[in-house]
Amino acid sequence: VNVYKIRVAKKHFYNRFLNEIRLKLISMGFKEYKGPIIESSFWNCDALFMPSFHPSREIHSIFYVKTDKKAEIDSEILEKVRKVHLGLGSNSIGWGSFDEELCKKILLRSQTTAVSARVLYLIYKKKEKIPIKMFVIDRVFRPETIDPKHFIEFDQLEGIIIEENANFKMLLNYLKEIVIYLGAKNVKFKPAYFPFTEPSVEIFAEISNLGLVEIGGAGIFRREVVEPFGI
């Protein structure tokens, strides 16, 4: 009689990889946060000081949900963000425009930075204690042309540190440690532009068969991002 071996189920290698990153970040003092995949344009863009006319808010860069419903936004924080965009009552000249209808549109989250924006709101509304070291690893969606470096959905790692003496050099050290932990070699940084950080940096690392690949972007939140949340 032939007796067949029963193979015990095991976690998918990709999920194991994501969990390894979680454990690494937790060991570095970070706490994991979650946020909705179906998101409002406000948290995905406006709360991050992304102007209403920014090209990445068009349909070729974001999957908008086909619905007549509009997102409900806390009117108090909506007004504070609107004023920053218009350059009213702040040290910034703003963008000079703010599309309230656009900010209430519903979309598939294009960046997990939307979760970071919601954490800023927690600090503002629920008096979340500082210092905070948070991270999120979750799915995001973008209408990309599919190739070895791009897909229409992927898991993105996002994190922020809020503490008194945080600085740009400290940020680069964290980024390098995390990227090297992921197995990358020859880590390089170069100046970059993002609407919500200044100074900003892009991280590159050498990957077998693909060469030097952009791993991600980072920076120090601009005051226009944190000011509405009282930070």
Side-chain angles (χ1 to χ4, degrees):
V1 177
N2 292 326
V3 178
Y4 293 96
K5 290 182 179 180
I6 298 175
R7 300 192 181 277
V8 179
K10 55 185 179 181
K11 288 185 178 179
H12 190 276
F13 70 90
Y14 182 62
N15 287 330
R16 290 206 310 270
F17 169 68
L18 295 181
N19 285 333
E20 284 176 13
I21 301 172
R22 283 191 175 92
L23 291 174
K24 172 63 177 176
L25 289 164
I26 290 169
S27 74
M28 295 169 72
F30 286 81
K31 177 183 176 182
E32 185 172 13
Y33 283 75
K34 289 287 187 180
I37 286 176
I38 297 176
E39 185 58 278
S40 70
S41 188
F42 177 81
W43 293 114
N44 196 79
C45 304
D46 296 281
L48 296 167
F49 198 56
M50 188 181 291
S52 301
F53 53 79
H54 198 279
S56 65
R57 299 185 67 160
E58 297 175 6
I59 57 172
H60 64 263
S61 299
I62 286 179
F63 287 113
Y64 285 99
V65 176
K66 191 174 182 180
T67 177
D68 293 329
K69 293 183 178 180
K70 300 291 182 183
E72 293 183 7
I73 312 295
D74 181 327
S75 58
E76 185 180 10
I77 202 66
L78 175 64
E79 178 61 17
K80 287 178 180 290
V81 169
R82 185 187 75 86
K83 283 185 175 180
V84 167
H85 278 249
L86 295 176
L88 303 173
S90 75
N91 294 321
S92 169
I93 62 171
W95 300 115
S97 65
F98 182 74
D99 189 335
E100 193 167 322
E101 285 301 307
L102 177 61
C103 85
K104 292 180 180 179
K105 290 187 74 171
I106 296 172
L107 46 80
L108 290 179
R109 179 178 60 197
S110 69
Q111 55 183 356
T112 47
T113 319
V115 182
S116 292
R118 285 180 173 273
V119 170
L120 298 180
Y121 178 70
L122 282 176
I123 295 169
Y124 169 77
K125 203 71 176 177
K126 298 186 178 180
K127 308 301 179 186
E128 192 97 341
K129 290 183 180 180
I130 294 174
I132 286 177
K133 291 167 72 174
M134 65 77 69
F135 78 94
V136 53
I137 302 176
D138 217 340
R139 195 60 55 92
V140 296
F141 305 84
R142 298 177 186 176
E144 300 271 14
T145 300
I146 299 172
D147 62 27
K149 301 178 186 178
H150 300 87
F151 195 59
I152 58 172
E153 60 175 287
F154 57 94
D155 285 287
Q156 186 178 49
L157 167 61
E158 159 83 8
I160 57 174
I161 297 171
I162 303 173
E163 64 179 53
E164 286 292 331
N165 298 314
N167 57 56
F168 195 65
K169 185 177 180 180
M170 175 180 166
L171 172 65
L172 297 182
N173 285 332
Y174 269 108
L175 294 171
K176 190 170 184 179
E177 183 176 348
I178 292 167
V179 173
I180 289 174
Y181 177 78
L182 298 179
K185 296 179 181 178
N186 193 21
V187 180
K188 293 186 176 182
F189 299 108
K190 81 168 190 176
Y193 166 77
F194 303 110
F196 40 89
T197 56
E198 180 59 41
S200 305
V201 64
E202 286 178 344
I203 310 102
F204 289 80
E206 202 162 329
I207 296 178
S208 301
N209 303 322
L210 291 177
L212 211 58
V213 175
E214 182 188 349
I215 299 295
I220 304 294
F221 271 143
R222 291 175 61 155
R223 65 172 179 266
E224 292 93 341
V225 174
V226 296
E227 184 181 287
F229 302 100
I231 301 172

